[in-house]
Amino acid sequence: MRASVLSDWLAQRLDRGNGQPIYRQLHRLLQQAILSRELPPGSKVPSSRLLAQELGIGRNTVTQVYEQLVLEGYVSSATGRGTFVADSAPDEIVGVPDAEAPAARSEPAPQQARRALSTRGARLIAGAGVSKRQWGAFMPGVPDVTKFPARVWSRLHNKYWRRLRPDLLTYAPGGGLASLRHALADYLRTSRSVRCTPEQIIITTGIHQSVDLAVRLLSDPGDVIWTEDPCYWGVRSVLHVSGLESRPIAVDEEGINPSADDLAQPPKLMLVTPSHQYPLGMVMSLARRRMLLEYARQNQCWIIEDDYDSEYRYGSRPLASLQGLDTSGQVIYVGSFGKTLFPGLRIGYLVVPEALAESFATASAELYREGQLLQQAMLAEFIAEGHFTSHIRKMRTLYGQRRQTLLDAAAQRYGDALPAVGGDAGLHLVMQLPDGTDDRRVAAAALERNIVVRPLSGYYAQPLLAPSGLLIGYACVPDEEIAPALNTLADAIDATLPEFV
Ligand SMILES: Cc1ncc(COP(=O)(O)O)c(C=O)c1O
């Protein structure tokens, strides 16, 4: 497509009256043009000045869309030459090697890999947020695994392996081990006000798998799901590869905050973190909970409630779940032992409405051919003997202290200059950086000093327009290491933002 043809093509499709921001429409249209090869690999896109002029929109809007497409790997820009559709555009199909193009054989491995990937595979890899490091200061979302009661676990482990039971070593029946489902139903009813029977609980390998199962069973490719903006990158990726269209919805102090335009187009599903918005930390108000439940009931949409770390509230009691308020069976509740015990355990669960329980159990066994019954038996006994609640109680005290130590260290270094948000809960805080700061650069500078933090902007649908900040996980950092690690992080911030020192 030539530049003038592209402008016409875009002009015909941009709709100023549909309530969707022009930035988002232009971004989606250009992605579409690249994926459908209307804009083939290697082709030059018009300069931002020209395109802005021809479409009658702000040049900044076009620049920001181009920058976003660069980040996502759709285009690359060469200084002085312009912006080009990437050679390894996400939908490239492996073809017969072209004898006339020997250079193709010597292209770097990552580019070869991208050529081999499907469209959704390439998108997943281009947008992947997973970190190579999963431990150490200040890894967000990771509890202190060194405090796990290993002795109790090892006693249970020995017990089960001494009395070898074939039924625990074979594939799992759909839904997981009955004793764990019973123990969990008791825990969720009393601690989280979840209304459920053991049969409504489906054991999975964690929230990622729970969300995957829920969207496969309750939606079809192309259906729309509302996600909070910002939201957890991992679940966002799960939704993308399932072929759902994510519609990012802004959050305010009361949680997800759909506009009148959003409400006018009901989604098939929505994914929310009512107890502790991830990553900003606010709690969804009762009014907003009621509004969402009523809206979901009237429009027959599903709400997936991600209750990933609600056990950790430091000033007040843990809040009741959204599921507990639901009287019409619209909520799918998902939780995990990843934060309460240890992430590598890979045991999580869904609580589904009674009418869906059988289908979810069957689908889970059918799709994932579950196992891990021995670990499930150990975990059921661990809960029944009271170790689970006692571990949570101890960790709540410990993490509350670590959180305060971190806040004190930050205040000592910066006073009020870098405010922290994140509520009085969870395993991380968000430190806000001055507007316009490139938080990815700050995170990279911290990593060079062996400190892991995540840039806040990466959790937003449009990172280039997002507020700037850092996610700082304190739970897995020993008390005495928090202040020194904060100082190392502050050195990285000061080196990146010299005007701030
Ligand atoms: C909001 C949120 N949901 C889900 C998860 C992942 O849960 P799991 O380890 O059970 O898959 C995380 C991990 O950090 C998270 O932050």
Side-chain angles (χ1 to χ4, degrees), residues 293-476:
L293 287 169
E294 182 53 23
Y295 178 80
R297 189 186 66 74
Q298 282 178 14
N299 294 285
Q300 292 298 298
C301 36
W302 299 103
I303 303 178
I304 302 180
E305 175 179 15
D306 178 355
D307 205 26
Y308 62 102
D309 77 353
S310 55
E311 282 82 2
Y312 298 120
R313 293 205 72 77
Y314 308 118
S316 49
R317 280 175 56 76
L319 295 144
S321 62
L322 183 67
Q323 196 268 10
L325 291 176
D326 174 27
T327 49
S328 50
Q330 306 296 137
V331 177
I332 309 289
Y333 176 92
V334 301
S336 173
F337 291 97
K339 316 285 181 212
T340 45
L341 296 180
F342 57 98
L345 181 62
R346 300 316 292 147
I347 299 185
Y349 43 87
L350 295 133
V351 180
V352 301
E354 234 174 302
L356 293 177
E358 186 71 38
S359 305
F360 267 72
T362 305
S364 165
E366 187 76 16
L367 283 180
Y368 311 124
R369 205 75 168 109
E370 307 164 283
Q372 293 204 334
L373 290 177
L374 195 116
Q375 288 89 327
Q376 292 183 22
M378 288 160 59
L379 180 54
E381 206 158 322
F382 186 87
I383 297 174
E385 288 178 356
H387 305 295
F388 181 55
T389 44
S390 129
H391 183 60
I392 291 176
R393 253 196 320 273
K394 282 189 205 140
M395 292 302 102
R396 195 181 290 140
T397 309
L398 181 73
Y399 300 155
Q401 286 160 359
R402 289 183 177 175
R403 179 178 175 280
Q404 195 52 51
T405 307
L406 174 66
L407 284 171
D408 292 346
Q412 201 163 16
R413 178 87 180 220
Y414 287 113
D416 295 334
L418 288 186
V421 295
D424 203 2
L427 306 177
H428 75 272
L429 284 171
V430 176
M431 189 186 264
Q432 293 172 310
L433 293 174
D435 277 349
T437 307
D438 184 349
D439 50 10
R440 290 163 308 165
R441 243 174 14 106
V442 179
L447 195 58
E448 278 169 19
R449 291 163 172 81
N450 210 21
I451 299 286
V452 191
V453 285
R454 284 183 165 275
L456 175 63
S457 61
Y459 292 78
Y460 283 82
Q462 294 175 23
L464 296 169
L465 302 180
S468 187
L470 299 174
L471 264 73
I472 306 181
Y474 47 79
C476 67

Side-chain angles (χ1 to χ4, degrees), residues 140-141 205-209 232 235 273 278 306 308 335-339 343 346-348:
T205 60
I207 290 173
H208 279 228
Q209 195 184 60
Y232 170 50
V235 171
T273 49
Y278 194 84
D306 178 355
Y308 62 102
S336 173
F337 291 97
K339 316 285 181 212
R346 300 316 292 147
I347 299 185

Side-chain angles (χ1 to χ4, degrees), residues 185-231:
D186 287 345
Y187 167 73
L188 292 173
R189 273 194 303 256
T190 47
S191 302
R192 308 290 310 115
S193 311
V194 169
R195 303 179 198 207
C196 66
T197 61
E199 292 70 34
Q200 286 173 260
I201 296 181
I202 311 296
I203 307 295
T204 64
T205 60
I207 290 173
H208 279 228
Q209 195 184 60
S210 298
V211 171
D212 187 55
L213 184 63
V215 300
R216 280 172 196 276
L217 284 183
L218 301 176
S219 68
D220 290 305
D223 281 342
V224 170
I225 182 163
W226 284 359
T227 48
E228 294 169 330
D229 193 26
C231 80

